[in-house]
Amino acid sequence: MWKALGKGALWLGALVLVVVGVLRLFFLDLVEVGHDGMAPTMIAGETVLMWRGVDEPEMGDLLVCHHPTATGQMVIGRVVGKAGMTLRDVRGALEISGSVPDRDVLEMERFFDQTTNQEGDYRRSLVKLGNTDHFVYERERFVFRLRETRVEPNRVYLMADNRAAVQLDSRTFGTVPVSSCLGTLFMRFRPAQTRSADLGNGWFDFLDP
């Protein structure tokens, strides 16, 4: 029985790889995550799948875009603001056009951030944004700050799920033209094998719960 199950798993794995290979020819790209700014959703060293093309980004989408100020660099971020919306911080929370997204505060977790090369305690929260629910990390004693910003036409405001990663999102480099975005991330293809990889992230996980 175990031999049969093993063969079945191998066939299934092979089939998945063939399907992914075919889709890559026309619709998909593999993207390697280069930092921990999107933790716990994605961490450095993971490979994720991206649907090519961005026409009308939705709130909560995970986008890959050209960096708006640094030529040749790319950015990954979650859409938290669209054209016409005003964003600011209110008592340490993100406010979007007068409304603070619903949030369930969960447990504290120990996490090693490879981007800063530091380990610390992070509070995991589940945030509802648009039609999506997603996890965010808030480092202990980190105070969320956001300069009030009104998103311009045909642009989006991207934010890191790891809220302490200010340098990696629109809080530092400003809004991003939609025309500069290459695609939308939706699934983990391969988890990382690093010091930060104890979050339970697995093969072929969807990126939002």
Side-chain angles (χ1 to χ4, degrees):
M1 182 182 73
W2 294 111
K3 185 176 181 180
L5 288 174
K7 290 178 67 176
L10 287 174
W11 275 107
L12 179 60
L15 178 61
V16 169
L17 290 175
V18 169
V19 170
V20 169
V22 172
L23 288 173
R24 283 191 67 193
L25 290 175
F26 304 100
F27 308 110
L28 298 179
D29 281 316
L30 293 176
V31 175
E32 184 168 344
V33 181
H35 56 69
D36 282 336
M38 294 306 297
T41 307
M42 297 176 282
I43 61 172
E46 292 188 332
T47 303
V48 293
L49 293 172
M50 179 185 77
W51 288 115
R52 294 177 193 161
V54 178
D55 295 322
E56 294 287 340
E58 299 295 334
M59 293 290 283
D61 282 354
L62 292 163
L63 301 186
V64 178
C65 309
H66 290 286
H67 197 293
T69 59
T71 303
Q73 294 187 27
M74 308 298 293
V75 297
I76 295 176
R78 190 179 296 277
V79 178
V80 299
K82 298 171 61 176
M85 295 181 177
T86 299
L87 288 80
R88 62 173 183 157
D89 69 85
V90 177
R91 296 184 295 278
L94 171 64
E95 182 187 270
I96 305 170
S97 293
S99 178
V100 176
D102 291 337
R103 180 176 66 170
D104 291 329
V105 179
L106 306 176
E107 67 280 353
M108 293 292 290
E109 299 177 351
R110 198 75 178 166
F111 179 71
F112 179 78
D113 189 326
Q114 297 177 93
T115 307
T116 61
N117 201 34
Q118 294 180 336
E119 187 174 40
D121 291 320
Y122 288 74
R123 178 174 289 103
R124 184 193 287 250
S125 298
L126 183 63
V127 177
K128 183 172 182 58
L129 190 64
N131 294 319
T132 69
D133 293 336
H134 66 278
F135 291 116
V136 301
Y137 259 170
E138 296 169 300
R139 192 183 65 216
E140 190 176 35
R141 292 186 293 276
F142 172 76
V143 179
F144 179 81
R145 292 285 183 266
L146 189 156
R147 182 175 65 255
E148 183 168 324
T149 303
R150 184 172 178 82
V151 183
E152 310 95 312
N154 302 313
R155 300 177 81 92
V156 289
Y157 196 104
L158 300 180
M159 186 168 289
D161 286 350
N162 180 354
R163 291 291 195 251
V166 178
Q167 75 280 13
L168 298 173
D169 67 23
S170 290
R171 286 171 289 178
T172 294
F173 53 68
T175 59
V176 177
V178 174
S179 61
S180 75
C181 297
L182 303 181
T184 304
L185 302 176
F186 70 99
M187 179 180 282
R188 183 176 299 101
F189 179 74
R190 181 173 56 243
Q193 302 294 322
T194 65
R195 183 175 171 182
S196 303
D198 57 354
L199 298 176
N201 295 350
W203 290 75
F204 303 111
D205 286 344
F206 285 102
L207 295 177
D208 290 325

